Amino acid sequence: MTSIPNHTHDPRAVSWVASANDGTTDFPIQNLPFGVFRQAGAARPPTVGVAIGDHILDVAACSRAALFEGAAADAAAACRSSRLNELMALGPAAWSALRHAIFDLLRADHADADRHSEVVGPLLVPQAQAELFVPADVGDYTDFYASVFHATNVGRMMRPDNPLLPNYKYVPIGYHGRSSSILVSGAPIRRPWGQTRPEGVEVPLFGPSKRLDYELEVGAYVGVGNDLGSPVTLDDSDAHLFGLCLLNDWSARDMQAWEYQPLGPFLAKSFATTVSPWVVTMEALAPFRVAPFTRPDGDPAPLPYLDSAAHKAAGGIDVQLEVAVSSQRMRDEGMAAVRLSHSNLSQMYWTFGQMAAHHASNGCNLRPGDLLGSGTVSGPETDARGCLLELTWRGAEPVTLPTGERRAFLEDGDEVTLRGWCERDGAARIGFGECRGVVLPGST
Ligand code: CA
């Protein structure tokens, strides 16, 4: 487990990049998330950078300028790429060496800080002038279903007498998603067309989904893979994860309800998945490790391959999450987006460590850049329900927006923004940035 904080987490550390120190940024010097960017209008290919305050440090340019030594230099060389996969493949020691070297370059109290700001200053790009990309080539994308509150709510709508299937408390349930339609925050979403069978109708219809929904999720990128036939133990599984992002698993509920049996979601999910551009590393999250969700009395213990003392101590991660929505009319009238829900990753029944260990338990090989979705992050409270299906109870209890508009599901022009952050006493607050998408009308 990467759960022991070090000097790069010191809440007193500040950067000579002034915007990193204002207390409200998602990207103080204790965060240093990785992404792939290009200066708007630049002719060169996208490259790897690290967010610091309202800027991006061009790590590839730092590598070309020979600003790092040893293991950090090797890791920085892997950043001379338009994707994070090469860096992800190097493993935790290399990631950590690079993080510590970047921390030293950017910290205000370093003995060479004046020289650093002179040399490195020109290698910073304002985020406002940058175009951001899906940060990795995602070979395989697997979406889990790790919130027992989400699974119980959805199950209750489908099967009032038997909401939670008997496998749920033993198996981290997941399905294989589609990687080709993973989009970066800001990309618009086209309302999908598909088959639906409204109640009372015999022959299904084909047309634009009328029940388009978001799902508030966290994604985990695999760093180092495992060989085919070589499972990963629970205690090793964290070391195979590079870091976390925000993820919106856009879902067409009317298509899903008709197609999901017997093999699970297919076209109801594969039209779009949005990820946030910044990947917060597992090392950056070290101060926010917590015990996993406490199973209620009477629930079975996880099977031994999904249980360990280290996992019991710090297998969870305390990430606060929220969903905000604005309609076209709200934006036209200058209104801010309205928060619909607020939940926490630490409330998930299964942790990312368990999901990764389970995924590889049959010998399946995970590869650098593979993406694991947590499943909708819902909590026990009604305002902690991470999708409209739950919030409006399948449309029966619509939410009212500040304009008086009502929403059972998303309408064209609606914009959904996910945010995530970690904060606690004794640590610097770090954030994930945002994961945003606006719904456009479907096209035939
Ligand atoms: Ca999902």
Side-chain angles (χ1 to χ4, degrees):
M1 302 275 161
T2 329
S3 56
I4 301 165
N6 55 54
H7 77 276
T8 65
H9 304 98
D10 184 344
R12 295 164 299 182
V14 291
S15 173
W16 50 263
V17 180
S19 60
N21 310 323
D22 75 1
T24 61
T25 178
D26 277 349
F27 310 120
I29 193 169
Q30 293 84 357
N31 193 347
L32 305 176
F34 285 84
V36 171
F37 79 103
R38 176 168 59 195
Q39 190 150 12
R44 63 187 177 86
T47 188
V48 173
V50 160
I52 179 76
D54 58 13
H55 281 69
I56 301 170
L57 176 67
D58 186 335
V59 179
C62 292
S63 170
R64 287 192 296 274
L67 295 179
F68 303 117
E69 294 173 350
D74 295 341
C79 295
R80 299 191 201 185
S81 173
S82 292
R83 54 183 209 167
L84 287 172
N85 299 59
E86 285 77 13
L87 175 64
M88 289 167 157
L90 293 181
W95 309 332
S96 186
L98 183 55
R99 171 185 167 86
H100 284 241
I102 291 172
F103 181 87
D104 279 345
L105 269 189
L106 295 174
R107 64 194 290 192
D109 65 349
H110 193 279
D112 291 329
D114 288 346
R115 185 174 64 83
H116 288 162
S117 67
E118 204 169 292
V119 175
V120 177
L123 307 181
L124 293 170
V125 174
Q127 284 178 32
Q129 293 173 18
E131 184 185 0
L132 291 153
F133 297 84
V134 175
D137 278 351
V138 179
D140 280 295
Y141 158 45
T142 306
D143 197 25
F144 285 86
Y145 196 53
S147 164
V148 71
F149 303 107
H150 174 71
T152 304
N153 282 335
V154 173
R156 190 171 289 141
M157 292 176 215
M158 310 283 179
R159 301 172 298 273
D161 301 334
N162 181 26
L164 205 60
L165 294 171
N167 57 5
Y168 189 84
K169 292 176 178 176
Y170 291 97
V171 182
I173 301 289
Y175 71 94
H176 286 295
R178 182 82 193 164
S179 57
S180 66
S181 51
I182 294 175
L183 304 168
V184 75
S185 176
I189 306 303
R190 281 244 171 246
R191 178 178 300 274
W193 280 53
Q195 273 198 37
T196 61
R197 199 181 71 168
E199 230 165 279
V201 173
E202 186 65 26
V203 179
L205 315 171
F206 182 75
S209 168
K210 292 188 170 66
R211 294 190 162 195
L212 183 59
D213 200 356
Y214 58 79
E215 287 190 340
L216 167 62
E217 300 197 18
V218 175
Y221 284 98
V222 173
V224 183
N226 59 297
D227 293 335
L228 182 62
S230 300
V232 174
T233 66
L234 179 61
D235 283 345
D236 284 344
S237 63
D238 261 22
H240 285 263
L241 299 178
F242 178 76
L244 306 187
C245 66
L246 303 171
L247 185 152
N248 185 344
D249 176 26
W250 302 92
S251 299
R253 300 303 185 190
D254 41 2
M255 291 159 58
Q256 186 179 356
W258 173 233
E259 76 174 5
Y260 88 103
Q261 287 177 315
L263 288 184
F266 180 30
L267 302 183
K269 303 275 193 177
S270 62
F271 59 95
T273 303
T274 306
V275 292
S276 57
W278 296 110
V279 186
V280 177
T281 62
M282 297 305 280
E283 185 170 355
L285 293 163
F288 307 101
R289 299 307 297 246
V290 292
F293 176 72
T294 306
R295 294 184 166 213
D297 285 347
D299 277 15
L303 295 182
Y305 79 102
L306 294 176
D307 205 1
S308 79
H311 182 266
K312 275 197 184 86
I317 310 175
D318 182 347
V319 182
Q320 300 196 53
L321 299 159
E322 69 168 30
V323 184
V325 170
S326 69
S327 67
Q328 183 66 55
R329 195 173 135 201
M330 286 171 67
R331 296 195 301 283
D332 289 347
E333 295 181 12
M335 292 181 184
V338 62
R339 176 150 112 177
L340 293 186
S341 69
H342 177 204
S343 56
N344 196 302
L345 183 67
S346 65
Q347 292 279 299
M348 301 299 263
Y349 201 81
W350 300 103
T351 64
F352 274 119
Q354 288 171 317
M355 291 184 243
H358 180 66
H359 203 317
S361 63
N362 65 345
C364 171
N365 49 328
L366 306 176
R367 295 177 295 185
D370 282 359
L371 183 61
L372 312 181
S374 62
T376 306
V377 184
S378 293
E381 309 84 5
T382 51
D383 65 356
R385 294 175 175 172
C387 62
L388 284 172
L389 178 72
E390 285 173 85
L391 264 181
T392 71
W393 211 255
R394 206 158 39 162
E397 300 162 20
V399 294
T400 304
L401 303 178
T403 46
E405 298 170 283
R406 284 153 65 88
R407 287 291 181 272
F409 291 95
L410 295 170
E411 301 286 338
D412 294 343
D414 286 354
E415 183 175 66
V416 179
T417 303
L418 314 183
R419 288 196 184 79
W421 66 95
C422 304
E423 60 186 341
R424 68 161 180 81
D425 287 345
R429 177 196 177 282
I430 62 171
F432 284 73
E434 59 180 33
C435 179
R436 198 165 45 81
V438 66
V439 177
L440 301 182
S443 57
T444 49

